[in-house]
Amino acid sequence: MPKTGVNATGMMASLALAFIHFLYPKEYLAAYFDSALAAGGSQVLTDRVAPDFSWDDLEAISRNASGNCGADKCFWRSTSEPESVGYLVASAGYHYRKMKRAFKFAKEILEGECNAKHFLMDPPVLVQNVSRDFLDQLNSLTDNPAIRIGLDNANKSQRSIFYVSDPSLVVQKVKVAPSPSLLFGYTQGKRQTMIKEIPTFREQVTVPLPLLEERLEAARKALRCAMDRKETYWWDIQGLVDVEGNYYHIDIDSHFWQEDKQRKRRKEAEKDGKGKKKKKKELTNNFQAQHDKIGLFNDMIQRLTQPPPVGYDELEYEKW
C-alpha cells in the first residue's frame, strides 16, 4: 500500500480494505488519489467506478508482492485468479498509446489473420493523477534480476520502472504465462540464455519431438504472416514456447517504437526531397531484419527438435 506523511499506517490499512476502483469506460480510465488523506481516513477519489476491477486484485496491493519486471513494465498476478490472470503495469506517458496499438495488432493481425497466440486479454486502461507515494510504493516492489539481460549495464536495472515525474499508469489484464516455458529473443543475452536452457526444457516437453517441430513450424509461419502485415514487426521480437509446443508472442508493443522512429525519419527526408529514397532504404533494411529474425527462429526450432546424438555435446552459442 502507498505511504504518506499523514498517518501512513492507517492509510495503508484502509487502502488494503477499501477496494480502490478504476474508472474504465472502455478506452479511458481515471482514478484520482487524494495525497492529503485525513488521519485514519481512506479518501481515495474516483470519477466513476468500474465494477470489474479494483487495485486490490493486484498482489502488489493485497499482498505487498514483488512484481516480475522487465525494463519498462511489471507483471503482478491477480489476487482473485492468481493461476490464470495477471496485470501489466507501466508508466502511461511512455506506454499507453503504444499498448493500445499493440492490443489492436494482437487481436486483428496476430490472432485474427495469422492464427497466432498471445497473452493480452483486455485493452489497456489509463489511470491518471496517481500520487507520488503510490508510485514510490510500486517502485519498491519491482524486483527481477533478469532485467539485466540485454541491458547495456547492470546499473540500468536499478532505475525506477514507474516515473515519479509521470503521475499516470497504464494497466492491462493478461493471461499468466505457462511454466515451464522457453523464452525466444534475438538479443545476444536472451539468445545465450535460451540456448543454455534448451537441453533442460527439451526434457520437460510433453509432446513427441515431431509434433513439437510441426507446431513450431506453424508458429514460424504465423510470425512470417505478422511480419508481412507490419514491416517493423522484427524489432525486439520475443515469445514464449510452452511444453506442448505452443508459441506466444510477448512485448508486442516494442516494435511500435521502431515504426514511429522510421515514420519520423521519412517525414524529415521528404522535406529534403529524399523521401522515396529513404523509404526504399528502410523497406530493404526491414526486409533484411525480418529475414534474420526468421533465421534465428528456425535455429531455435532445430536446436529444440533435433538434439545431438548420444555422446555429442549440444551446439554452442554462435553470435549472429
Side-chain angles (χ1 to χ4, degrees), residues 122-298:
D122 290 338
V125 294
L126 177 66
V127 186
Q128 293 183 317
N129 297 336
V130 181
S131 73
R132 167 68 180 267
D133 296 310
F134 193 79
L135 294 173
D136 286 342
Q137 179 67 6
L138 289 183
N139 277 322
S140 73
L141 297 172
T142 58
D143 179 28
N144 186 0
I147 191 176
R148 293 177 174 82
I149 297 177
L151 295 180
D152 294 336
N153 58 70
N155 290 333
K156 287 187 178 181
S157 67
Q158 304 304 317
R159 63 176 173 78
S160 296
I161 299 295
F162 307 105
Y163 304 118
V164 296
S165 59
D166 177 12
S168 57
L169 294 171
V170 55
V171 183
Q172 186 167 31
K173 190 175 184 179
V174 296
K175 298 175 184 177
V176 172
S179 180
S181 59
L182 181 71
L183 172 66
F184 168 76
Y186 73 78
T187 64
Q188 180 174 335
K190 289 171 183 173
R191 284 202 69 235
Q192 285 179 322
T193 300
M194 178 194 74
I195 290 171
K196 290 178 181 178
E197 293 178 350
I198 279 179
T200 299
F201 181 74
R202 192 190 294 121
E203 295 299 319
Q204 297 170 323
V205 168
T206 59
V207 297
L209 292 185
L211 180 56
L212 176 67
E213 184 173 15
E214 178 183 331
R215 289 178 176 175
L216 290 177
E217 284 289 348
R220 182 193 59 78
K221 292 179 181 179
L223 179 58
R224 177 75 262 176
C225 168
M227 288 180 174
D228 287 342
R229 286 153 180 78
K230 180 71 72 170
E231 65 184 78
T232 57
Y233 195 60
W234 56 267
W235 178 260
D236 198 26
I237 193 79
Q238 297 180 64
L240 291 176
V241 181
D242 70 13
V243 294
E244 295 181 346
N246 298 301
Y247 179 80
Y248 300 85
H249 294 246
I250 63 174
D251 276 359
I252 299 167
D253 61 310
S254 292
H255 78 278
F256 287 109
W257 308 109
Q258 183 69 15
E259 180 180 74
D260 291 347
K261 183 187 296 184
Q262 290 189 16
R263 184 181 292 118
K264 182 179 179 180
R265 286 199 298 254
R266 291 175 189 179
K267 286 184 178 180
E268 292 174 349
E270 287 174 0
K271 296 178 182 178
D272 300 327
K274 301 178 181 179
K276 290 184 178 180
K277 184 177 181 180
K278 185 66 174 179
K279 182 177 181 180
K280 181 179 180 180
K281 181 179 180 181
E282 290 193 333
L283 287 174
T284 301
N285 290 340
N286 285 334
F287 180 74
Q288 179 64 57
Q290 292 176 4
H291 181 84
D292 292 343
K293 304 313 175 286
I294 291 293
L296 292 175
F297 197 89
N298 282 331

Side-chain angles (χ1 to χ4, degrees), residues 300-319:
M300 177 191 69
I301 294 175
Q302 295 303 307
R303 289 174 181 271
L304 261 176
T305 62
Q306 296 187 16
V310 176
Y312 286 72
D313 294 331
E314 292 280 346
L315 295 177
E316 296 183 354
Y317 168 80
E318 293 182 5
K319 188 174 182 179

